[in-house]
């Protein structure tokens, strides 16, 4: 239906109610010719207003089409802007998340001195990495090697960091021998190590209970048995690649480690 009817058309419509096709079914594509001989041509002012409205409508459609469809030609990406939009939609890359992870743990002394803002930012980066875990079965190989602890929420480890001159904390996993060793290195050729046999409980979960502790002071070592109730538990690897691994354990603690030896 035309958006506007001329005055003559409206009058004729009311004068001849039976002729419903007169004003409503006229082909108005040619605006220079009136559907009725008595209908006047559009004035210059009316023509200018209609042209302006048409141009506004066309420009709006053109912008909408350009923003949505210009980036594609027969299904192929042809616009750098569209590629950039896809990258933003996909979120940060794995390398960017790695850098974010390292920035969040810097200055926290393995998590002991982390504030609420750092913990929140770190948790967001961890969750983003866990969603992109490249290894579906970490216990079948990717976990093997030596890992250095860069962050943990374990309060027991925080106590060691407070009481001892700790330099580094390592975890070594030997999947062939089914053994794990946690090592706390201190200054002055001193260390505390705990070793345990590994039990693979699933594609991501390991369990172990320590069967020996090794205390080293000034290069002299002493081996101690843990007794009848050895400490231990399970740990689940929620993310692992060639550089980092993220672990959540049976105490609901978060641990982040970087690989130092394959």
């Amino acid at each position: 239906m035309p958006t506007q009817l001329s005055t003559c058309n409206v009058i004729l419509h009311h004068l001849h109610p039976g002729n419903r096709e007169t004003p409503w079914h006229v082909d108005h594509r040619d605006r220079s010719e009136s559907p009725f001989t008595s209908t006047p041509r559009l004035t210059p002012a009316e023509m200018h207003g209609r042209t302006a409205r048409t141009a506004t409508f066309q420009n709006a459609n053109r912008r909408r089409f350009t923003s949505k469809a210009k980036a594609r030609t027969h299904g192929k990406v042809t616009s750098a802007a569209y590629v950039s939009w896809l990258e933003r939609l996909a979120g940060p890359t794995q390398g960017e998340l790695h850098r974010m992870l390292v920035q969040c743990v810097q200055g926290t002394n393995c998590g002991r001195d982390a504030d609420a803002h750092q913990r929140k930012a770190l948790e967001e980066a961890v969750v983003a990495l866990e969603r992109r875990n490249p290894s579906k079965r970490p216990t079948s190989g990717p976990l093997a090697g030596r890992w250095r602890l860069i962050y943990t929420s374990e309060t027991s480890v925080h106590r060691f960091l407070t009481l001892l001159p700790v330099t580094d904390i390592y975890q070594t996993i030997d999947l062939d021998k089914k053994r794990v060793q946690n090592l706390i290195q201190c200054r002055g050729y001193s260390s505390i190590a705990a070793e345990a046999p590994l039990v693979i409980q699933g594609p991501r979960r390991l369990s172990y209970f320590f069967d020996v502790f090794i205390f080293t002071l000034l290069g002299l070592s002493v081996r101690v048995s843990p007794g009848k109730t050895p400490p231990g538990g399970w740990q689940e690897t929620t993310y692992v690649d060639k550089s980092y691994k993220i672990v959540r354990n049976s105490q609901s603690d978060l641990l982040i480690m970087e690989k130092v030896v394959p």
Side-chain angles (χ1 to χ4, degrees):
M1 182 188 301
T3 57
Q4 281 187 327
L5 292 174
S6 66
T7 305
C8 184
N9 282 351
V10 174
I11 293 173
L12 286 174
H13 176 66
H14 287 286
L15 288 178
H16 304 280
N19 187 8
R20 296 299 182 183
E21 293 186 359
T22 301
W24 304 105
H25 299 280
V26 175
D27 186 1
H28 290 279
R29 287 175 294 182
D30 187 0
R31 297 297 181 180
S32 64
E33 296 293 332
S34 299
F36 303 98
T37 57
S38 59
T39 303
R41 295 174 181 271
L42 291 175
T43 65
E46 290 174 333
M47 182 64 74
H48 176 74
R50 183 166 296 183
T51 303
R53 288 193 297 273
T54 302
T56 301
F57 178 76
Q58 290 175 343
N59 288 336
N61 277 347
R62 188 179 296 111
R63 287 192 298 270
R64 183 168 55 185
F65 175 81
T66 300
S67 63
K68 291 185 177 181
K70 185 179 68 175
R72 288 183 177 268
T73 301
H74 302 296
K76 296 181 180 180
V77 177
T78 59
S79 171
Y82 186 74
V83 175
S84 177
W85 176 78
L86 284 178
E87 291 175 350
R88 292 195 301 270
L89 184 65
T93 64
Q94 191 177 49
E96 290 171 341
L97 290 173
H98 282 176
R99 288 191 291 272
M100 189 184 305
L101 203 67
V102 173
Q103 290 174 358
C104 289
V105 302
Q106 282 181 346
T108 64
N109 196 9
C110 285
R112 189 196 67 176
D113 303 329
D115 57 27
H117 176 73
Q118 288 172 311
R119 286 192 294 269
K120 181 180 178 181
L122 184 66
E123 184 67 27
E124 291 178 355
V126 164
V127 171
L129 280 171
E130 288 175 332
R131 291 172 181 166
R132 303 183 183 186
N133 187 10
S135 177
K136 303 303 180 183
R137 301 184 63 87
T139 56
S140 64
L143 285 181
R146 195 180 198 196
W147 303 83
R148 186 173 70 90
L149 183 71
I150 60 175
Y151 178 89
T152 182
S153 60
E154 286 185 283
T155 55
S156 59
V157 176
H158 294 169
R159 284 195 292 269
F160 279 114
L161 294 170
T162 302
L163 299 174
L164 300 175
V166 177
T167 57
D168 282 303
I169 299 176
Y170 296 98
Q171 182 179 74
T172 303
I173 295 178
D174 190 333
L175 293 177
D176 294 330
K177 296 180 179 180
K178 297 293 190 298
R179 298 285 296 182
V180 60
Q181 181 195 67
N182 291 345
L183 174 66
I184 301 176
Q185 277 192 342
C186 304
R187 291 193 298 269
Y189 302 99
S190 302
S191 64
I192 301 173
E195 297 182 0
L198 282 178
V199 177
I200 298 177
Q201 294 186 328
R204 301 196 306 175
R205 181 173 293 191
L206 299 173
S207 67
Y208 49 84
F209 291 89
F210 297 107
D211 57 3
V212 62
F213 292 94
I214 305 171
F215 297 92
T216 302
L217 181 62
L218 300 177
L220 300 176
S221 299
V222 177
R223 301 173 68 90
V224 179
S225 174
K228 296 182 179 180
T229 56
W234 57 261
Q235 69 173 33
E236 189 163 299
T237 304
T238 57
Y239 177 88
V240 61
D241 60 21
K242 296 180 180 179
S243 303
Y244 297 95
K245 76 170 180 175
I246 299 171
V247 174
R248 299 183 186 271
N249 63 19
S250 53
Q251 304 299 319
S252 300
D253 295 313
L254 171 68
L255 298 93
I256 303 173
M257 302 182 184
E258 64 176 355
K259 201 163 197 176
V260 293
V261 178

